[in-house]
Amino acid sequence: MPSDRSPRDIAVLGAGVAGLTVALELLKLGERVSIIDSRIGAGASNVAAGMLAPASEANFGETILTEMMLEASIYWEPFHLGLEEISKLSVDYRTSGTLVVAADQGDMADLERSASYLTGVGMDVRELRRSEVRDVEPLLGSDLAGVFKVVGDHQVHNRHLIAALTRAFQNLGGNWINGLVENIAERENGIELRLSIEQSDLNSAHVPSGATTKDPLYFDSCLIASGAWSATICDLIGAESVSRNLMPVKGQILRIRAEQHYGPPEHVIRGSVNGRHVYLVPRLDGEVVVGATMEEVGFDSGQRIGAISDMLEDATRLVPSVREAEFRESSVGFRPGTSDNLPVLGRLTTRIWAHFGHFRHGILLSPLTARYTAAAIVGHEVPPWFVSCSPERFATGVNEG
Amino acid sequence: MPSDRSPRDIAVLGAGVAGLTVALELLKLGERVSIIDSRIGAGASNVAAGMLAPASEANFGETILTEMMLEASIYWEPFHLGLEEISKLSVDYRTSGTLVVAADQGDMADLERSASYLTGVGMDVRELRRSEVRDVEPLLGSDLAGVFKVVGDHQVHNRHLIAALTRAFQNLGGNWINGLVENIAERENGIELRLSIEQSDLNSAHVPSGATTKDPLYFDSCLIASGAWSATICDLIGAESVSRNLMPVKGQILRIRAEQHYGPPEHVIRGSVNGRHVYLVPRLDGEVVVGATMEEVGFDSGQRIGAISDMLEDATRLVPSVREAEFRESSVGFRPGTSDNLPVLGRLTTRIWAHFGHFRHGILLSPLTARYTAAAIVGHEVPPWFVSCSPERFATGVNEG
């Protein structure tokens, strides 16, 4: 639905799933869009498990977030079809649902509370009888305290999603700029960006012909979509009230392959083992993602042995055949956490917009939030939850430190 | 001690520690030596922990092997000094000794038997009092059943060793041929080798100028030093009695980094945890090698999750601060096992020699066995244990079929 006004030049800072989805929406609305980053999908997007789980991820009391997640989950259906149409690439969207599993009776008490909350918000959650469990998911251990089936949880392959978004962005005429923002200044007639671009990248950086690494670039508007690194850019424009409500939340995950012997489980499995949470997300290609820690330790990228050991032990407790699977990868990501767990969406200054802070829900929420961030930029209407995500809440809100 | 006869052209098949050490000895004896392999130190040598442990590795009843290991351990002292002199590279030779640790009383019974055997063969083994343990190695867990200190166990950094051997080989004028043996034939006047050399490697392969990938190469003698892959080459020359007594013994190991917080332990730590064996080998650079499984599963290179999980659990039981260390690498090697655990050293045919089958002891034994394999090739005297390692034992011995 391009309008009849002339298109604006918009810079999207960040080539993760958040930046890519919003860039795509802006292209669809007829804007000229450049994505600026030194690597594509290299942050949290690269490590995400790709669960689209409004249900099992929902937390008590997070009413707005739950509403967003439920709406985002529904929106994923048309979104992935549209994306695959534009990109001609599959994102491995799967709808086999989630099993939520309690290892012992203490874990079971937690799970029952969670299940009744989810039922209350309209989710289809049902405890399986012991006799059903073996039919539904034969790979589950036989000594578990309880298993619930959650209908409506989906999943997508995070790395295939990045590939499809990248291709779609190119197919719709988006522009890549291979660099990192060093300075950002709002001038009367636009945004001035100074980038650090490796001299060796200058040719591939798509900057204006003849540019050097020192020349600034100009845009009509700019959108910060840099995930956990958005705080640094907020500081560049003096938005400290926002940046101090952002924090990286480290997650360690493992990727294993289970095609030999027993194969991967059919369902996404989320479990509680002695109060510790673990999930197993099987991919169509035989890979299983096992995760994830939640650590507020800054940008410490160490892959702690204790975390790996616990995840393997807990995953094995739920699915004993994990022992026979093969190790493939251990990695670390930094979720863009916020002090109230809501993303930060909306205007920061006249020409600079926020689009970050999706925390643990970036893959699930991004298509929906991208749609309305793009809508807001071109002056279309936005829903009430979008207004609740405004960066203004930190300037005056109760979260203010 | 080059002799006054003219040097021979000798091909060493295999650029692991076994091949490199024997090639070096042959160069020192005045021969012209070519090493043929597609990669340097890429097999078991690359994965080895580098323990030089005649003591803690010794097994009951393996009299000849124990004698070789004790002699090899003593020989390492002059060997590493000579190697570092020629290569100008350090191999991180360390002599801080080994602690052998039992987790529970069952493990302790095993350990006491082992300790009295080692004392019997002349090793210096002593149980530490509980009050001593904390001084000697503060990182050990506090709930262990017993700790023995073994003096005389040393260690070396396997990858630095490969680098030093490679450099020394070059410094002494050795020749690299970058390829893999496809066929080997003994002619009246020499050995004819046909190699598969990637066309792209032809320039760097040091084959005669103008050679194509199809031309055979000729040598006076040939030495098989291909570790677990030696069986394939034995089959090419009809030495099935040897090849069927060789088998790859898979080992999974982990490399972790412990410099943060607690640092690595001071000693090599070998432990028995519920009957499972585990070791931790600290390097000078803060790396700790944790290993290792022993699996007779052919060349299956899968990194099994169960093995990783067990090694981490057992290592943590012995040294709890392992939980705070960082994961670096999970890898798999194939030890060249033999049916009687002795290496295979000596003449296979008139011009083809065996130098493989060092099993778990390749780093420890290689300098010593290389010395005498080279001696045998030039007609010098060899000790009785060397004769015991002859491939002829498989043709008529009790191990046969």
Side-chain angles (χ1 to χ4, degrees), chain A residues 234-245 400:
Chain A
C234 286
D235 284 343
L236 291 176
I237 58 168
E240 284 88 2
S241 68
V242 177
S243 61
R244 71 165 166 265
N245 283 285
E400 185 73 359

Side-chain angles (χ1 to χ4, degrees), chain B residues 76 100 114 125 127 318 355:
Chain B
W76 250 97
V100 187
S114 177
V125 183
E127 184 172 1
L318 302 184
H355 186 76

Side-chain angles (χ1 to χ4, degrees), chain B residues 22-92:
Chain B
V22 78
L24 211 54
E25 291 300 320
L26 288 165
L27 285 174
K28 288 186 202 163
L29 292 171
E31 307 294 3
R32 283 195 300 263
V33 185
S34 297
I35 294 183
I36 300 175
D37 206 335
S38 60
R39 292 167 71 195
I40 296 173
S45 305
N46 185 50
V47 177
M51 281 176 290
L52 307 176
S56 2
E57 291 270 358
N59 287 334
F60 305 99
E62 296 186 335
T63 320
I64 297 171
L65 186 59
T66 302
E67 179 195 345
M68 291 171 68
M69 292 200 289
L70 290 167
E71 188 176 340
S73 172
I74 294 162
Y75 185 59
W76 250 97
E77 181 73 30
F79 171 79
H80 92 270
L81 293 173
L83 176 62
E84 292 179 340
E85 175 64 28
I86 299 171
S87 67
K88 310 295 179 201
L89 290 174
S90 164
V91 299
D92 293 357

Side-chain angles (χ1 to χ4, degrees), chain A residues 256 260 276 300 302-310 312-313 316 322-327 330, chain B residues 256 260 276 300 302-310 312-313 316 322-327 330:
Chain A
I256 68 181
Q260 276 201 315
R276 282 197 306 238
D300 163 13
Q303 297 169 28
R304 221 168 51 84
I305 291 292
I308 294 174
S309 189
D310 290 346
L312 292 180
E313 186 183 328
T316 302
V322 160
R323 282 185 65 83
E324 308 309 321
E326 289 184 14
F327 173 82
S330 163
Chain B
I256 68 181
Q260 276 201 315
R276 282 196 305 237
D300 163 14
Q303 297 168 28
R304 222 168 50 84
I305 290 292
I308 295 173
S309 188
D310 290 346
L312 292 180
E313 186 183 328
T316 302
V322 161
R323 282 185 65 83
E324 308 309 320
E326 289 184 14
F327 173 83
S330 163

